[in-house]
Structures are given as C-alpha cells and as structure tokens.
Amino acid sequence: MRSDVRIACVTLAAFCAVSCGQEKPLSGEEVLAQAGKLQKPEPGLYATSTKLVSFDVPGLPPAQADRMREQMQGLSSEPQPSCLTEAEASKGFEDVLRQIGEGINDQECAFTRFNVDGIRFDANLSCSGPMGVSAEVGLSGTSTSAGFDASMDLEASNSMIPGGSMEMQFDVKSDRLGPCSEAELDGAEAQVAEE
C-alpha cells in the first residue's frame, strides 16, 4: 500500500502545476489524528491497480494528447503486487503521510483538508515546487483493513503546460490477497531497510 501512494504522488509531481487553494495548511499532528481514525491495514500481499479515468489538456494538439493519455494509462494498467510487513501495517498510514508532508520530488506539500468518517476519507493536498510548479489534488474514497478504493482528482495550470492548464482523474484500488510468501516478505523487509 505504501508503494501505491508513491505511484500516485510521483505521477502528481511529474505532471502537475496549479495555483494552490487559499485554505490554511493542517499541521502534521492534525493530519495524523484524522488518519488514525482509519482502520490499520492487515499485513499481507496486496494487489493495486491505478486507472486513468479522465485526462484533459485543452491546449495540447489531439495527437499529442492521445499519446500522453496512452502513456498515463500504461503507468499501472496491470495490478501491482506489494507485500506489507507487520511493522509497516502497525504504523497504519503514518509513514506515507509523513513522507508526503516532507515533500515529493523537490515539491513542498501540505494537506489543507483531511476528514475521516468511519471508513470514508476526504482530503485535499497542495504542493508547490521549483520554477513556479504547484499542484492541487483532491483524494476521496474508502479504506478498510483489507484495502482501499480511492479517487484522485488533479487540476493543474502553469505556463509550461500547453494551453496553461490540465485536469486528470485516477482511480486507485488495493485489495489484500492473503499472506505474503517468505520470499515476498524478505524482499519487502529488504526494501524498507534500504530506505
């Protein structure tokens, strides 16, 4: 599950630029308090898929827009397996949220909204970076101990984008398949140790 959020955030940082909202950033403690209301994921093997729902760059010629859309669809068209260790699961979403708060690919990010109601969550994230690059992302969905189902909406604008603006929407789904094999568990623990 940790890698799923990374995929979404790397995609966000690579392709976006928008004027940030006027909402006041939440403190890390406020975000973690809300996230702590969500069920912690069970350790085990997860399959995660990322689907591009919509992609619109009004200023891009149609042929280029089609090529870019195909590239975006190919990022994670097949479900990606990942093994969540007991140590990672025990932290819930704490590490992922701390990493986002510390910034992604030279971008500074902050949550301006993070609400949890039962298994449902609704959040807004603003990022800004070098050369005036910034992004506004809405995240909403459900999360249980056996996976999550989320929608990520991106509105972006910057002089580097043809026509000055773009919009994307992704659906990200992660389901627990069962326990990790010894090899998968060893690989996951080695990856955590490298970080």
Coordinates of all heavy atoms in Angstrom, one line a residue, residues 91-151:
K91 N 2.0 0.7 11.7 CA 2.0 2.2 11.7 C 0.8 2.8 11.0 O 0.7 4.0 10.9 CB 3.3 2.6 11.0 CG 4.6 2.3 11.8 CD 5.8 2.8 11.1 CE 7.0 2.5 11.8 NZ 8.2 3.0 11.1
G92 N 0.0 2.0 10.4 CA -1.1 2.5 9.6 C -0.6 3.3 8.4 O 0.3 2.9 7.7
F93 N -1.1 4.5 8.3 CA -0.7 5.4 7.2 C 0.3 6.5 7.6 O 0.6 7.4 6.9 CB -2.0 6.1 6.6 CG -2.9 5.1 6.0 CD1 -4.0 4.6 6.8 CD2 -2.7 4.5 4.8 CE1 -4.9 3.7 6.3 CE2 -3.6 3.6 4.3 CZ -4.7 3.1 5.0
E94 N 0.9 6.3 8.8 CA 1.7 7.4 9.4 C 2.9 7.7 8.5 O 3.2 8.8 8.2 CB 2.2 6.9 10.8 CG 3.1 7.9 11.4 CD 3.5 7.5 12.8 OE1 2.8 6.7 13.5 OE2 4.5 8.0 13.3
D95 N 3.7 6.6 8.0 CA 4.9 6.9 7.2 C 4.6 7.5 5.9 O 5.3 8.4 5.5 CB 5.6 5.5 7.0 CG 6.4 5.0 8.2 OD1 6.5 5.8 9.2 OD2 6.8 3.9 8.2
V96 N 3.5 7.1 5.3 CA 3.1 7.7 4.0 C 2.8 9.2 4.1 O 3.2 10.0 3.4 CB 1.9 6.9 3.4 CG1 1.3 7.7 2.2 CG2 2.3 5.5 3.0
L97 N 2.0 9.5 5.2 CA 1.6 10.9 5.4 C 2.8 11.7 5.8 O 2.9 12.9 5.3 CB 0.5 10.9 6.4 CG -0.8 10.3 6.0 CD1 -1.8 10.2 7.1 CD2 -1.4 11.0 4.8
R98 N 3.7 11.2 6.6 CA 4.9 12.0 6.9 C 5.7 12.2 5.7 O 6.3 13.3 5.5 CB 5.7 11.2 8.0 CG 5.1 11.3 9.4 CD 6.1 10.8 10.4 NE 5.5 10.5 11.7 CZ 5.2 11.5 12.5 NH1 5.5 12.7 12.3 NH2 4.6 11.2 13.7
Q99 N 5.9 11.2 4.8 CA 6.7 11.4 3.6 C 6.0 12.5 2.7 O 6.7 13.3 2.2 CB 6.7 10.1 2.8 CG 7.5 10.2 1.6 CD 7.5 8.9 0.8 OE1 6.9 7.9 1.1 NE2 8.3 8.8 -0.3
I100 N 4.7 12.5 2.6 CA 4.1 13.5 1.8 C 4.3 14.9 2.4 O 4.6 15.8 1.7 CB 2.6 13.2 1.6 CG1 2.4 11.9 0.7 CG2 1.8 14.4 1.0 CD1 0.9 11.4 0.7
G101 N 4.2 15.0 3.7 CA 4.4 16.2 4.4 C 5.8 16.8 4.2 O 6.0 18.0 4.3
E102 N 6.7 15.9 4.1 CA 8.1 16.3 3.9 C 8.5 16.7 2.5 O 9.5 17.2 2.2 CB 9.1 15.2 4.4 CG 9.0 14.9 5.9 CD 9.7 13.6 6.3 OE1 10.3 12.9 5.4 OE2 9.7 13.3 7.5
G103 N 7.5 16.4 1.6 CA 7.7 16.8 0.2 C 8.0 15.7 -0.7 O 8.5 14.6 -0.3
I104 N 7.7 15.9 -2.0 CA 7.9 14.8 -3.0 C 8.6 15.4 -4.2 O 8.2 16.4 -4.8 CB 6.5 14.3 -3.5 CG1 5.7 13.9 -2.3 CG2 6.6 13.2 -4.5 CD1 4.2 13.9 -2.5
N105 N 9.7 14.8 -4.6 CA 10.4 15.2 -5.8 C 10.7 16.8 -5.8 O 10.3 17.4 -6.8 CB 9.7 14.8 -7.1 CG 9.7 13.3 -7.3 OD1 10.4 12.6 -6.6 ND2 9.0 12.9 -8.3
D106 N 11.2 17.3 -4.8 CA 11.5 18.7 -4.6 C 10.3 19.6 -4.5 O 10.4 20.8 -4.6 CB 12.4 19.2 -5.7 CG 13.8 18.5 -5.7 OD1 14.3 18.2 -4.7 OD2 14.3 18.3 -6.8
Q107 N 9.1 19.0 -4.2 CA 7.9 19.8 -4.0 C 7.6 19.8 -2.5 O 7.8 18.8 -1.8 CB 6.7 19.1 -4.8 CG 6.9 19.0 -6.3 CD 5.8 19.6 -7.0 OE1 4.8 19.9 -6.5 NE2 6.0 19.6 -8.3
E108 N 7.1 21.0 -2.1 CA 6.6 21.1 -0.7 C 5.2 20.9 -0.7 O 4.4 21.5 -1.5 CB 7.0 22.5 -0.2 CG 8.5 22.7 0.0 CD 8.7 24.1 0.6 OE1 7.8 24.7 1.1 OE2 9.9 24.5 0.5
C109 N 4.7 20.0 0.1 CA 3.3 19.6 0.1 C 2.7 19.8 1.5 O 3.3 19.6 2.5 CB 3.1 18.1 -0.3 SG 3.8 17.8 -2.0
A110 N 1.4 20.1 1.5 CA 0.6 20.2 2.8 C -0.8 19.8 2.5 O -1.4 20.2 1.5 CB 0.7 21.6 3.3
F111 N -1.4 19.2 3.5 CA -2.8 18.9 3.4 C -3.6 20.1 3.9 O -3.2 20.7 4.9 CB -3.2 17.7 4.3 CG -2.8 16.4 3.7 CD1 -1.7 15.7 4.1 CD2 -3.7 15.7 2.8 CE1 -1.3 14.5 3.6 CE2 -3.3 14.5 2.2 CZ -2.1 13.9 2.6
T112 N -4.6 20.5 3.2 CA -5.5 21.6 3.6 C -6.8 21.1 4.1 O -7.6 21.8 4.7 CB -5.7 22.6 2.4 OG1 -6.2 21.9 1.3 CG2 -4.4 23.3 2.1
R113 N -7.1 19.8 3.8 CA -8.3 19.1 4.4 C -7.9 17.7 4.5 O -7.3 17.1 3.6 CB -9.4 19.3 3.4 CG -10.7 18.7 3.9 CD -11.9 19.0 3.0 NE -11.9 18.2 1.8 CZ -11.6 18.7 0.6 NH1 -11.5 19.9 0.4 NH2 -11.6 17.9 -0.5
F114 N -8.4 17.1 5.6 CA -8.2 15.6 5.8 C -9.3 15.2 6.8 O -9.2 15.4 8.0 CB -6.8 15.3 6.4 CG -6.5 13.8 6.1 CD1 -5.5 13.5 5.2 CD2 -7.1 12.8 6.8 CE1 -5.2 12.1 5.0 CE2 -6.8 11.5 6.6 CZ -5.9 11.1 5.7
N115 N -10.4 14.7 6.3 CA -11.5 14.3 7.1 C -11.8 12.8 7.0 O -11.7 12.2 5.9 CB -12.8 15.0 6.7 CG -12.7 16.5 6.9 OD1 -12.1 17.0 7.8 ND2 -13.2 17.3 5.9
V116 N -12.1 12.2 8.1 CA -12.4 10.8 8.2 C -13.7 10.6 8.9 O -14.0 11.1 9.9 CB -11.3 10.0 8.9 CG1 -11.7 8.5 9.1 CG2 -10.0 10.1 8.2
D117 N -14.6 9.8 8.3 CA -15.9 9.4 8.8 C -16.1 7.9 8.6 O -16.5 7.5 7.5 CB -17.0 10.2 8.1 CG -18.4 10.0 8.7 OD1 -18.5 9.3 9.8 OD2 -19.4 10.4 8.1
G118 N -15.9 7.1 9.7 CA -15.9 5.7 9.5 C -14.8 5.2 8.6 O -13.7 5.4 8.8
I119 N -15.2 4.5 7.5 CA -14.2 4.0 6.6 C -14.0 5.0 5.4 O -13.1 4.8 4.6 CB -14.7 2.7 5.9 CG1 -15.9 2.8 5.1 CG2 -14.8 1.6 7.0 CD1 -16.3 1.6 4.3
R120 N -14.7 6.1 5.4 CA -14.6 7.1 4.3 C -13.6 8.2 4.7 O -13.5 8.6 5.8 CB -16.0 7.8 4.0 CG -17.0 6.8 3.6 CD -18.2 7.4 2.9 NE -17.8 8.1 1.7 CZ -17.6 7.4 0.5 NH1 -17.7 6.1 0.5 NH2 -17.2 8.1 -0.6
F121 N -12.8 8.6 3.7 CA -11.9 9.7 3.9 C -12.1 10.7 2.7 O -12.5 10.4 1.6 CB -10.5 9.3 4.0 CG -9.9 8.6 2.7 CD1 -9.4 9.3 1.7 CD2 -10.1 7.2 2.6 CE1 -8.9 8.7 0.6 CE2 -9.6 6.6 1.4 CZ -9.0 7.3 0.4
D122 N -11.7 12.0 3.0 CA -11.8 13.1 2.0 C -10.7 14.1 2.4 O -10.6 14.6 3.5 CB -13.2 13.7 2.2 CG -13.4 14.9 1.2 OD1 -13.0 14.8 0.0 OD2 -13.9 16.0 1.7
A123 N -9.8 14.3 1.4 CA -8.7 15.1 1.7 C -8.3 16.0 0.5 O -8.7 15.7 -0.6 CB -7.5 14.2 2.0
N124 N -7.6 17.1 0.8 CA -7.1 18.0 -0.3 C -5.6 18.2 0.0 O -5.2 18.5 1.2 CB -7.8 19.3 -0.3 CG -7.5 20.1 -1.6 OD1 -8.0 19.7 -2.6 ND2 -6.7 21.1 -1.4
L125 N -4.8 18.2 -1.0 CA -3.3 18.3 -0.9 C -2.9 19.4 -1.8 O -3.2 19.4 -3.0 CB -2.7 17.0 -1.2 CG -1.1 16.9 -1.1 CD1 -0.7 17.0 0.3 CD2 -0.7 15.6 -1.7
S126 N -2.1 20.3 -1.3 CA -1.5 21.4 -2.1 C 0.0 21.2 -2.1 O 0.6 21.0 -1.1 CB -1.8 22.8 -1.6 OG -3.2 23.0 -1.7
C127 N 0.6 21.3 -3.3 CA 2.1 21.2 -3.4 C 2.6 22.3 -4.3 O 1.9 22.8 -5.2 CB 2.5 19.9 -4.1 SG 2.1 18.4 -3.2
S128 N 3.8 22.8 -4.0 CA 4.5 23.8 -4.8 C 6.0 23.4 -4.9 O 6.5 22.8 -4.0 CB 4.3 25.2 -4.2 OG 4.9 25.2 -2.9
G129 N 6.6 23.8 -6.0 CA 8.0 23.5 -6.2 C 8.7 24.5 -7.0 O 8.3 25.6 -7.3
P130 N 9.9 24.1 -7.5 CA 10.8 24.9 -8.3 C 10.1 25.4 -9.6 O 9.2 24.8 -10.1 CB 12.0 24.0 -8.7 CG 11.9 22.9 -7.7 CD 10.5 22.7 -7.3
M131 N 10.5 26.6 -10.0 CA 10.0 27.2 -11.3 C 8.5 27.4 -11.3 O 7.9 27.3 -12.3 CB 10.5 26.4 -12.5 CG 12.0 26.2 -12.6 SD 12.6 25.4 -14.1 CE 11.4 24.2 -14.5
G132 N 8.0 27.7 -10.1 CA 6.6 28.1 -10.0 C 5.6 26.9 -10.2 O 4.4 27.0 -10.3
V133 N 6.2 25.7 -10.1 CA 5.3 24.5 -10.3 C 4.5 24.3 -9.0 O 5.1 24.3 -7.9 CB 6.2 23.2 -10.5 CG1 5.4 22.0 -10.5 CG2 6.9 23.4 -11.9
S134 N 3.2 24.1 -9.1 CA 2.4 23.8 -7.9 C 1.2 22.9 -8.4 O 1.0 22.7 -9.5 CB 1.9 25.1 -7.3 OG 1.2 25.8 -8.3
A135 N 0.6 22.3 -7.4 CA -0.5 21.3 -7.7 C -1.5 21.3 -6.6 O -1.2 21.5 -5.4 CB 0.1 19.9 -7.8
E136 N -2.8 21.0 -7.0 CA -3.9 20.9 -6.1 C -4.5 19.5 -6.4 O -4.9 19.2 -7.5 CB -4.9 22.0 -6.3 CG -5.9 22.1 -5.2 CD -5.4 23.0 -4.1 OE1 -4.4 23.7 -4.2 OE2 -6.1 22.9 -3.0
V137 N -4.6 18.7 -5.4 CA -5.2 17.3 -5.6 C -6.2 17.0 -4.5 O -6.1 17.3 -3.3 CB -4.0 16.3 -5.4 CG1 -4.6 14.9 -5.6 CG2 -2.9 16.6 -6.4
G138 N -7.3 16.5 -5.0 CA -8.4 16.0 -4.1 C -8.4 14.5 -4.0 O -8.2 13.8 -5.1
L139 N -8.4 13.9 -2.8 CA -8.5 12.5 -2.6 C -9.7 12.1 -1.8 O -10.0 12.8 -0.8 CB -7.2 12.1 -1.8 CG -5.9 12.4 -2.4 CD1 -4.8 12.2 -1.4 CD2 -5.6 11.4 -3.6
S140 N -10.4 11.1 -2.3 CA -11.6 10.6 -1.5 C -11.8 9.2 -1.8 O -11.4 8.6 -2.8 CB -12.8 11.4 -1.9 OG -13.1 11.2 -3.3
G141 N -12.4 8.5 -0.8 CA -12.7 7.1 -1.0 C -12.9 6.4 0.3 O -13.3 7.0 1.3
T142 N -12.7 5.1 0.3 CA -12.9 4.3 1.5 C -11.6 3.4 1.8 O -10.9 3.1 0.9 CB -14.1 3.3 1.3 OG1 -13.8 2.5 0.2 CG2 -15.4 4.1 1.1
S143 N -11.4 3.1 3.0 CA -10.3 2.3 3.4 C -10.7 1.4 4.6 O -11.3 1.8 5.6 CB -9.1 3.3 3.9 OG -8.0 2.5 4.3
T144 N -10.3 0.1 4.4 CA -10.6 -0.9 5.5 C -9.3 -1.6 5.8 O -8.3 -1.3 5.1 CB -11.7 -1.9 5.0 OG1 -11.1 -2.7 4.0 CG2 -12.9 -1.2 4.6
S145 N -9.3 -2.5 6.6 CA -8.1 -3.3 7.0 C -7.7 -4.2 5.8 O -6.6 -4.7 5.8 CB -8.4 -4.1 8.2 OG -9.4 -5.1 8.0
A146 N -8.6 -4.4 4.8 CA -8.2 -5.3 3.7 C -8.0 -4.5 2.4 O -8.0 -5.2 1.3 CB -9.4 -6.3 3.5
G147 N -7.9 -3.2 2.4 CA -7.6 -2.5 1.2 C -8.3 -1.1 1.2 O -8.9 -0.7 2.1
F148 N -8.1 -0.5 0.0 CA -8.7 0.8 -0.1 C -9.2 1.0 -1.6 O -8.7 0.4 -2.5 CB -7.8 2.0 0.3 CG -6.6 2.1 -0.5 CD1 -6.6 2.9 -1.7 CD2 -5.4 1.6 -0.1 CE1 -5.5 3.0 -2.5 CE2 -4.2 1.7 -0.9 CZ -4.3 2.5 -2.1
D149 N -10.1 2.0 -1.8 CA -10.6 2.3 -3.1 C -10.7 3.8 -3.1 O -11.4 4.4 -2.3 CB -12.0 1.7 -3.3 CG -12.5 1.8 -4.7 OD1 -11.9 2.5 -5.5 OD2 -13.4 1.1 -5.0
A150 N -9.9 4.5 -3.9 CA -9.8 6.0 -3.8 C -9.8 6.6 -5.2 O -9.4 6.0 -6.2 CB -8.5 6.4 -3.1
S151 N -10.3 7.8 -5.2 CA -10.3 8.6 -6.4 C -9.4 9.8 -6.2 O -9.4 10.4 -5.1 CB -11.7 9.1 -6.7 OG -11.7 10.0 -7.8

